Amino acid sequence: MGHLHHVVHHQNTLYAATAPSALYVAAILLDPRTALPVEKGPRDFPGPMRAELLGWLDSVANAADNQAEATMRRFGFPPEDYPPFVQTCEIRPLLFAAVSACFDDHNLHVHEAALAACIPLLDDPRLHHHREAVAPLLREKLAASALWQYQERAVEALSAWGEDTTGLEVRRDAFEVVNRPGTASSPTDWIVPRQGASDVPF
């Protein structure tokens, strides 16, 4: 997972190795070993390795969705001139086939990660016809997630697809980071050493 996140696809960048790696990840999604737990950081989404892999595919697909394309054009970088972007777009139907196979996963975290990962993939004109079937799942499942990030993704996608979002609300915890275990600071964390007081930039 560390290699995927930090080498193959880092900070929303698509590389020559990204699309081939995405095909590999898609191919192993249903392997029983991906149901095993994986080491988590304090800000990671919950779930087994399968959920992590779906989250990675979600990130890859986001880097080649409509918004990413519009951003590249706005800054003068035609996406059709960047082979990794073109290659990622080309494999979106294959990725969607693998991701959607996880919609019925018995693990809630995998189920939600799969629904979230399908959203940017459905920007592909070849996959638009799947939106009608996916929209109710986003409304009934992802918009009802305990994670506000998924709620937000569902509402934004449904709105972009022209679906009715009446009654859907993102229940975001404004103090989520502050209240997370292990993130609280003690009063001593805010004490500036006398010898460094002159270096404080305010």
Side-chain angles (χ1 to χ4, degrees):
M1 291 307 306
H3 186 78
L4 288 176
H5 282 297
H6 301 296
V7 179
V8 178
H9 170 59
H10 185 56
Q11 293 183 346
N12 298 324
T13 302
L14 299 172
Y15 302 104
T18 306
S21 299
L23 288 175
Y24 175 81
V25 169
I28 67 169
L29 276 178
L30 297 183
D31 186 292
R33 288 168 291 183
T34 65
L36 297 174
V38 64
E39 185 177 344
K40 298 282 183 177
R43 297 184 180 180
D44 291 338
F45 279 36
M49 180 177 287
R50 187 172 297 152
E52 289 289 318
L53 293 172
L54 284 163
W56 184 79
L57 289 175
D58 184 3
S59 179
V60 170
N62 266 305
D65 67 1
N66 288 348
Q67 183 175 348
E69 178 181 354
T71 300
M72 291 178 72
R73 293 192 188 283
R74 187 168 65 249
F75 286 99
F77 299 102
E80 60 272 14
D81 292 344
Y82 187 54
F85 185 95
V86 175
Q87 293 161 4
T88 303
C89 289
E90 288 175 348
I91 65 171
R92 286 187 294 194
L94 295 173
L95 297 183
F96 178 76
V99 166
S100 59
C102 297
F103 284 176
D104 296 325
D105 197 283
H106 70 278
N107 185 290
L108 175 64
H109 303 306
V110 172
H111 174 71
E112 292 183 340
L115 288 174
C118 83
I119 293 174
L121 293 171
L122 292 182
D123 275 356
D124 192 308
R126 296 167 293 178
L127 300 173
H128 281 180
H129 62 282
H130 290 291
R131 289 181 176 182
E132 183 177 356
V134 171
L137 297 176
L138 296 187
R139 183 180 294 103
E140 297 163 12
K141 304 293 184 180
L142 207 62
S145 171
L147 299 175
W148 67 263
Q149 294 94 332
Y150 284 153
Q151 297 170 22
E152 189 172 74
R153 292 286 299 283
V155 173
E156 288 179 352
L158 290 169
S159 179
W161 297 351
E163 297 285 336
D164 182 15
T165 57
T166 302
L168 298 183
E169 179 183 1
V170 179
R171 301 176 298 280
R172 181 170 184 171
D173 181 2
F175 299 98
E176 177 189 22
V177 175
V178 183
N179 292 334
R180 186 182 293 119
T183 59
S185 58
S186 68
T188 57
D189 293 336
W190 296 91
I191 297 177
V192 179
R194 183 179 302 276
Q195 65 271 21
S198 60
D199 298 329
V200 178
F202 51 82

